[in-house]
Structures are given as C-alpha cells and as structure tokens.
Amino acid sequence: MKIIVTGGAGFIGSNFIFYILKNHPNDNIICVDSLTYAGNLSTLSSVMDYRNFTFKKIDICDKDSIFSLFEAERPDIVVNFAAESHVDRSIEDPQIFLTTNIIGTSILMDACIKYNTKRFHQVSTDEVYGDLPLDRKDLLFTEDTPICTSSPYSSSKASADLLALAYHRTYGLDVTISRCSNNYGPYQFPEKLIPLMIANALDNKLLPVYGEGLNIRDWLYVEDHCEAIDIIMRNGTSGEVYNVGGHNEMHNIDIVKLIIKELGKSEDLITFVTDRKGHDLRYAIDPTKIHTQLGWLPKTAFAEGIKKTISWYLDNKQWWMDIISGEYQNYYNKMYGERLL
Ligand code: NAD
Ligand code: TYD
C-alpha cells in the first residue's frame, strides 16, 4: 500500500508514521508537509533513512506541486493531517486556517479524483460539534450530533468535513472521516495544554490556566488515535464519519495539578488568566460506532498515558527546548504577556 500522509512532521502525523512503519512494514509512506511553525523535521529523523519512507516539503495549497506528486506516486490512500491546529492562534488570525484547512483539503481531494486514489481519509476533530454543558454528563457527541462550531479553527475543520462528504456524494470519491477528542503524548508542540504545562513546570514558570480551569476535555493517548485511523482507513465504510474517543473526561485544572504532582512542583505555579474567547465548555465523545462496527477501543488508561508522556518530555528536553527558544517564544510573549492578570 502506498500512503501519502500530509502533516506528518506535526504531532499526530509523526506518531501515525511511526505507527504504520512499525505495524505495516510493507507499506510505503510519502510524508507531505510544508513545515510551518508546528512542523518539525527533526521529529522524523529516526525514519528518514527507511527505504519505505520519503519526505516531501510541499504546501497542500500548492496545487501544481500536489498534482505533480500524485502523478509521480499514484498513492492508494491519502490521510490528511495537515492543518493549522491551534484554537488560540485561529482566534488571533483566522485567515491561514481557512486557506490550509479548507482549500488545502479540497486540492488534495481534487488530486485524489484525478489520479484515482482509492481512499481519502480526513482527520477531523470533535470540536466540529461545538460544546456540551458542564452539568449534563448524560450528553455525548455522536456522529449524528449537529455541526455547531465555536472557533475559526473548528469552523474551518467543519467546512473541510462538509466538503469531503460533498466530494463523496457528488464525485463518488471514497472518503472516510474521523473526529477525535484531545490527543496527548510524545512530540506535541508545547503550545497545547499538556506539553505547555510540563515545559513550564520544569522551568518553574507560571502555569496559565484559562478562566477557572473547569472546562472539560476528553483525552486520548495519541497512539490509540493512530490505531483508530489505521483501522478506519483500511476497513471503514466510504462516506462514513467515525467518532474517536475514550470516555476520559477531565477538568483542565485537574490535569494541571496532576502534572505538578508528577513533577514534584508547587501548585503556587498555577496562575488563572483571562479566559479564551468563545471557550468551549466540554467535549465528550461517544465512541460506540467505531467500537461496534470496527472493533476499536483505546488501550491506554490516562494514568499510564500521562506518565509515559511526562517521561518522554523529561527524556527529550532538547526537542522541545529547541522549539521554545525559537520563533515560538515571540508567540508565547504575545499571547500570554497581555493575558496574565
Ligand atoms: P500539528 O499542528 O502538530 O501539525 C500539523 C502539521 O501540518 C505540521 O507539521 C505542519 O507543518 C503541517 N502543515 C500545516 N499547514 C500545512 C500546509 N498548508 N501544507 C502542508 N503541511 C502543513 O497538529 P496535530 O495536533 O498533529 O493535528 C493533526 C490533525 O489532527 C489536524 O488536522 C487536527 O485538526 C486534527 N486533530 C488534532 C487533535 C489534537 O488534539 N491535537 C484532536 C483532534 C483532531
Ligand atoms: P488546547 O490544548 O489548546 O486544546 P483545545 O482548545 O483544542 O481543546 O487546550 C485544552 C484546554 O486547556 C482548553 O480548555 C484550553 C485550556 N488551556 C489553558 O487553560 N491554558 C493554556 O495555556 C492552554 C494552551 C489551554
């Protein structure tokens, strides 16, 4: 199987590449990534020399380059991870989210049609469903929950999902979509909650918790997500959406306290900052469909996954310190400089 993986120098895409190379050594992977601030080629250094792995620095919005690549490679499957992925950045500057997440996805699907790609898999998010109330634990997102987005990020991802379903119906493109809850694990860019808190705590820097820290996210270990995508892209039904999550809801503040405890730091580091605009209250996935139809269930309990994640950040300081010392630092100052109460 020849698979184009877009966004493979980012967090989930790189973990997915490692997963496929380990579990399907006969597959060939072509990673397409434009290496934005969130893409890090050093993440892929351990597989760069594999005979069945190739890296191409291409922007998915660059139609000519994408079509030339498809012409040359004729992939069997395309898995689209490439996206602008950070909600806070989308609130600051939505435009690039619309370009990459919507136009980029349509260019990839146009190429799939032209070059007869057997399957296009769109990696989406539970954020397309909007949010759930904090006090209604009985409510969960199912695949039939209406799209009702809150941020420019989630709106761009929802637009891409709708386009993918439209390409399926209108052009007969073989499409599957997965909508996943929050991921955590190795190689996550330290602007997202868990790696940011680990990096700051290790550095004895303040831990900026939005609002009162009571918002709830449903956390999934990244390797479990990769396995789910692998199963869907091979065995999922064309035109179908699959929710991916693990019944693992947690308040943000509890995650931050857990990280502090694991690292032996003081809760005095916690600082409550101005809330995110339009901040979604609660995400919670009902994974019944993928479980009953495709047999997938997450394998990693949060207690185990967070320990593994913290150990990884302790063992790979250079990876995230290189990031923090660069361009990211300017962004950090801009976002939090004005926000600290
Ligand atoms: P990430 O920001 O870590 O990585 C995104 C990658 O895409 C980077 O390597 C970046 O260089 C690349 N990229 C961005 N724009 C590009 C372009 N125009 N052309 C080519 N490459 C480009 O993101 P992530 O957390 O790994 O998320 C991957 C996918 O999973 C995204 O589509 C995201 O919406 C989705 N998702 C993420 C989560 C999560 O918790 N991280 C949860 C659900 C869904
Ligand atoms: P994030 O990792 O940005 O993922 P998402 O917004 O896609 O869920 O944020 C997770 C939660 O943590 C979210 O409720 C916002 C909150 N948060 C903080 O409280 N402080 C921070 O510095 C960050 C980055 C997030």
Side-chain angles (χ1 to χ4, degrees):
M1 201 78 89
K2 191 181 270 190
I3 307 167
I4 287 188
V5 176
T6 69
F11 165 46
I12 308 176
S14 59
N15 278 282
F16 181 74
I17 288 169
F18 301 146
Y19 181 89
I20 296 292
L21 290 173
K22 185 172 156 206
N23 292 285
H24 303 280
N26 293 325
D27 285 347
N28 281 293
I29 292 186
I30 300 147
C31 171
V32 169
D33 200 299
S34 62
L35 299 179
T36 67
Y37 80 95
N40 192 341
L41 205 48
S42 77
T43 300
L44 296 170
S45 57
S46 65
V47 300
M48 270 309 183
D49 293 335
Y50 279 37
R51 51 157 187 80
N52 56 343
F53 176 79
T54 317
F55 179 81
K56 299 278 181 193
K57 185 176 184 303
I58 300 176
D59 185 331
I60 59 166
C61 302
D62 175 353
K63 186 173 175 185
D64 291 344
S65 299
I66 289 292
F67 274 53
S68 300
L69 179 74
F70 276 64
E71 167 94 49
E73 298 291 351
R74 309 274 169 165
D76 299 299
I77 301 179
V78 174
V79 188
N80 183 27
F81 291 93
E84 289 293 333
S85 69
H86 190 32
V87 174
D88 293 316
R89 284 182 189 258
S90 83
I91 293 167
E92 290 298 303
D93 188 4
Q95 200 65 51
I96 185 67
F97 285 74
L98 311 185
T99 309
T100 290
N101 299 2
I102 307 174
I103 306 295
T105 303
S106 75
I107 287 171
L108 290 172
M109 292 192 295
D110 288 337
C112 287
I113 290 172
K114 178 150 187 213
Y115 296 101
N116 296 317
T117 304
K118 293 194 193 82
R119 166 147 294 177
F120 175 80
H121 181 75
Q122 174 68 2
V123 181
S124 185
T125 165
D126 59 356
E127 301 193 26
V128 302
Y129 300 120
D131 64 353
L132 296 163
L134 290 173
D135 59 354
R136 287 290 308 274
K137 285 296 171 74
D138 54 314
L139 297 179
L140 300 170
F141 296 137
T142 72
E143 291 79 2
D144 297 325
T145 301
I147 300 270
C148 182
T149 56
S150 313
S151 71
Y153 163 69
S154 53
S155 304
S156 67
K157 293 295 289 184
S159 305
D161 284 15
L162 294 175
L163 263 184
L165 295 172
Y167 270 59
H168 173 69
R169 175 159 173 159
T170 305
Y171 307 117
L173 180 65
D174 186 312
V175 163
T176 45
I177 297 174
S178 51
R179 293 182 179 148
C180 189
S181 55
N182 287 59
N183 284 218
Y184 68 102
Y187 298 108
Q188 187 167 30
F189 195 89
E191 67 183 349
K192 303 282 173 71
L193 180 74
I194 289 181
L196 185 132
M197 296 300 164
I198 296 172
N200 277 18
L202 285 172
D203 217 5
N204 293 313
K205 279 170 71 179
L206 292 175
L207 307 180
V209 174
Y210 299 170
E212 295 175 69
L214 296 178
N215 302 59
I216 292 175
R217 298 292 183 262
D218 182 359
W219 294 93
L220 184 69
Y221 193 62
V222 64
E223 202 178 330
D224 288 332
H225 184 197
C226 294
E227 183 185 46
I229 293 171
D230 183 34
I231 292 171
I232 297 167
M233 79 177 191
R234 289 173 207 273
N235 306 326
T237 304
S238 181
E240 292 286 318
V241 173
Y242 297 90
N243 282 355
V244 184
H247 290 299
N248 184 39
E249 294 179 52
M250 297 199 47
H251 293 285
N252 294 340
I253 190 70
D254 294 332
I255 301 235
V256 175
K257 286 185 176 167
L258 205 152
I259 291 170
I260 290 172
K261 196 165 161 225
E262 285 290 328
L263 292 175
K265 300 287 178 178
S266 161
E267 289 192 7
D268 292 346
L269 290 176
I270 294 174
T271 178
F272 293 97
V273 301
T274 318
D275 211 349
R276 173 185 282 171
K277 289 178 191 146
H279 197 172
D280 279 337
L281 293 172
R282 171 176 165 248
Y283 302 142
I285 284 265
D286 177 354
T288 305
K289 180 174 173 180
I290 186 170
H291 177 48
T292 54
Q293 294 187 10
L294 299 176
W296 175 88
L297 272 182
K299 293 181 174 141
T300 314
F302 188 76
E304 178 198 345
I306 193 73
K307 276 200 169 73
K308 282 208 274 191
T309 304
I310 292 173
S311 295
W312 187 89
Y313 280 87
L314 283 169
D315 294 343
N316 293 275
K317 262 188 176 168
Q318 202 56 47
W319 181 88
W320 54 267
M321 280 173 70
D322 283 351
I323 291 173
I324 288 176
S325 63
E327 166 59 19
Y328 176 64
Q329 197 58 46
N330 300 330
Y331 164 79
Y332 188 88
N333 290 336
K334 185 173 162 226
M335 289 305 290
Y336 293 104
E338 296 160 7
R339 227 163 158 161
L340 294 168
L341 293 175

